[in-house]
Amino acid sequence: MPDTPQQDSPQQNIAPPDSRLALANRRIVLGVTGGIAAYKSAELIRRLKDLGADVRVVMTPAAQEFITPLTLQALSGNPVHTTLLDTEAEAAMGHIELARWGDLILVAPASADFLARMAHGHGNDLLTTLCLAARCPLAVAPAMNQAMWASRSNQDNIALLQARGIPLFGPAAGEQACGDVGPGRMLEPTELAHLTAGLFPRQLLTGTRITITAGPTREAIDPVRYISNHSSGKMGFALAEAARDAGAQVTLISGPVHLPTPDRVQRIDVVSAQDMYDASLGALKQTDIFIATAAVADFRVENSRNQKIKKQDNSGTIQDGRMTLTLVENPDIVAAVASHSPKPFTVGFAAETQDVENYARQKIARKGLDMIVANDVSRSDIGFNSDQNAVTVIWPDGQQAIDLASKAQIARDLVTLIATHYQQQHKNAR
Ligand code: PMT
C-alpha cells in the first residue's frame, strides 16, 4: 500500500497515520559512551526526534572526547547530563529523576568498557548509575573494534546482558575506522531509531496528530469585565489524556480554565475566540484529527474598551441606568477547520438544551463535520462543569449513545469511536 493518498481520491487531503510518529510521547534517555561512533549519536538524536521522541542525552567522560555536549544539547533541545556528582545538575534534574523520566535507556554507541561495567552492575558514573536505578527497559547498540567484540570477556558480558533480556542492536559487520574488517560497527542511526520504535507496542492512534480545543473563551467588555460561559475544560482535557493514552501526539488549545496540563500533552493557552481561531488554524499543518470541545463564545463585544467603563460613562454605552453593548459574530473555528484544505478528520460538539439530536444533525451539515458529539446541557448532572457526561455521537449515516459515565470514561469511548471512523475514512481514501 502506498502511504500517501492517491491524487484522485475524494479524501486525498487526509494524511495517513504511518511510522513517522511511532515514538510520539516516548521519552528516550540516550547514553553515549566513548568511541568513534559517538559522532553518529548526533544523527541518531535527529532520527529519534523525527519519530516523535523526547530525547535527553547522558554522556560519559570518554564520549565527550569524541563529540561535544553542546552539539547534542542543541540537537536534543534538552540539557546534556555528564556527571553524577554535580550539585547544579542534580538540582535541575537528579539522576534518580532522570532514570524515572525515561521510557527507555538506549546506549549508543555502547563501548566494550561500558558493557563490561553494565554487565557487572557498576555504578561508578552517571550512565551506569542510571542503568541500575532505571525501572524502564534498557537497550544497547555496541560499537568497538572487531577483535574486542570477539574477545571472550566481551562475549561473556554480552551473554550476561542478553540473559537479562536487554535487547542488543547490532553490531553490523564491515570496514572499521581502524582499518579492520569484521563485526563491531554501530548500526546506522535510521535503523537504530526504527529498532527503538519497535520496542514499543503500536497503539490505536500511534502516528496520529490530534488537536483539541477545550474550555470557554472570554470576550472582553473592558479590562475588568468579560462575557463567557460555564465550561470548565474537563471534557476537553479528559479527551486529551485519552488520545495521548491511545498513542496520539496531542495539542490542547485551551481557554481560561483551572486544570493542570496533562503529562506529555502540548498546551496552548488562549483567551478569546479570535485567539482560539488563530491557534487552531496555526496547528492545522500538524493535525490529522481536530476535536472541538470548547464552548466558544458565538459573539464578542464590537468595541471593547481599553479603560474600565465607569457607571457615569458619557460615551453612550451607559444611559438611563442601562448599558448597551453591540455584539458581533465570532469566526466559527470548527467550520473553518472543516473547510480547510487539507482537511483533518473534524469532530464537533453540540451543546443543546432541547431537541438535542436534531440540532446536532443540523450542525454536522452546516459546519461540514465528519462527526458530532451531542451534549444535553439542560441537565445539571452532565455537560458544563460536571465530572460526568452522557452523549450521543452522530455521523452522517449513523449514531451511537454513550451512557452516563465519568468524563474520563466518556473520553476513552469517544477516542475509540473517533479512531475507528478516522481509520475507516483512510482505508476508503486509499
Ligand atoms: O468544559 P466542560 O465543563 O467539561 O463542559 C463540556 C462541554 C459541555 C463544554 C462540551 O461537552 C460541549 O458540549 N462543548 C461544545 C459547546 C458549544 O459551544 O457547543 P455549540 O453547539 O455552541 O458549538 C458547536 C460546535 O462548534 C462546538 O464544537 C464548538 O466548539 C464549535 N464552535 C462554536 C462556535 C464558534 N465560534 N466556533 C466553534 O468552533
Side-chain angles (χ1 to χ4, degrees), residues 213 215 230-236 273 292-298 330-335 347-352 363 367 369 372-373 375 377 383-386 389 407:
T213 64
H230 296 293
S231 171
S232 62
K234 287 177 189 172
M235 191 67 244
T293 320
V296 185
D298 288 320
N330 270 324
D332 191 312
I333 302 165
V334 78
V347 182
F349 270 65
E352 303 292 351
K363 277 183 187 164
K367 298 186 185 229
L369 308 178
I372 199 158
V373 182
N375 214 159
V377 289
F384 284 114
N385 202 16
S386 62
N389 213 352
K407 282 184 176 167

Side-chain angles (χ1 to χ4, degrees), residues 320-348:
D320 302 330
R322 287 168 189 271
M323 178 188 250
T324 307
L325 297 172
T326 303
L327 302 183
V328 291
E329 205 172 345
N330 270 324
D332 191 312
I333 302 165
V334 78
V337 167
S339 67
H340 194 268
S341 177
K343 178 196 174 191
F345 186 87
T346 311
V347 182

Side-chain angles (χ1 to χ4, degrees), residues 74-110:
L75 290 168
S76 66
N78 283 317
V80 168
H81 305 260
T82 53
T83 38
L84 180 58
L85 304 171
D86 177 338
T87 40
E88 218 174 277
E90 282 291 299
M93 184 183 258
H95 65 282
I96 298 294
E97 207 180 334
L98 183 58
R100 287 190 189 135
W101 178 88
D103 297 320
L104 173 77
I105 297 180
L106 167 65
V107 184

